[in-house]
Amino acid sequence: QVQLVESGGALVQSGGSLRLSCVASGTLVSTNFVAWYRQRPEKEREWVATVVSGGATGYADSVKGRFAVSRDNEKNTVFLQMNSLKPEDTAVYYCHSVVKGAKYWGQGTQVTVSS
C-alpha cells in the first residue's frame, strides 16, 4: 500500500521560509515522480513542482526562483524548500505520485503566510 505523508506546514511571516517533507512508503521516490500541489482558499488545486526519477525538476511560474524540490533517497523523502514566502502562498500543500497507474495523495499540510 502506497502512502504519502506530508509535514512541515506552519504559520510564517511574509518573506520567511519553510521546508515541507513528504515521506513515502510502499514506493520508492527514486523510481517514481513526486509532485507538490497546493490548494489555496476557494481555489482549485494547482501544481507547484515535480521531481522525476532521473532527478530533473520543474516548477510553476508562480514559485520559480523561490521554491526548490529535492529528495533524499535513503530516507525515501521528497522536500519542498519554500523561500521568500508571500501571503498568496497560503494553502494546503499536498504531495502526489502515480504508481502502477494508481494516483496517490497525501493528507496535506497547511502553510499560512501572514502579511
Side-chain angles (χ1 to χ4, degrees):
Q1 180 70 16
V2 175
Q3 285 191 318
L4 303 171
V5 179
E6 305 96 333
S7 63
L11 171 63
V12 63
Q13 288 190 331
S14 181
S17 297
L18 279 176
R19 189 176 79 157
L20 306 183
S21 299
C22 172
V23 179
S25 58
T27 185
L28 295 177
V29 299
S30 59
T31 60
N32 288 284
F33 82 89
V34 175
W36 286 96
Y37 282 74
R38 68 185 181 187
Q39 188 159 16
R40 294 184 277 183
E42 301 180 3
K43 299 282 188 181
E44 297 284 320
R45 192 172 295 190
E46 62 181 354
W47 171 70
V48 174
T50 298
V51 56
V52 299
S53 57
T57 58
Y59 301 92
D61 287 343
S62 59
V63 307
K64 202 172 291 183
R66 299 188 298 123
F67 290 12
V69 60
S70 63
R71 67 185 184 207
D72 183 330
N73 294 338
E74 288 189 6
K75 295 181 179 179
N76 212 30
T77 300
V78 173
F79 303 100
L80 184 67
Q81 178 67 42
M82 306 187 296
N83 300 324
S84 302
L85 282 162
K86 305 174 181 180
E88 52 264 43
D89 294 318
T90 294
V92 179
Y93 284 74
Y94 299 89
C95 62
H96 166 66
S97 191
V98 178
V99 180
K100 297 182 180 178
K103 298 179 181 180
Y104 296 93
W105 294 89
Q107 83 289 350
T109 187
Q110 176 71 48
V111 172
T112 303
V113 184
S114 63
S115 56

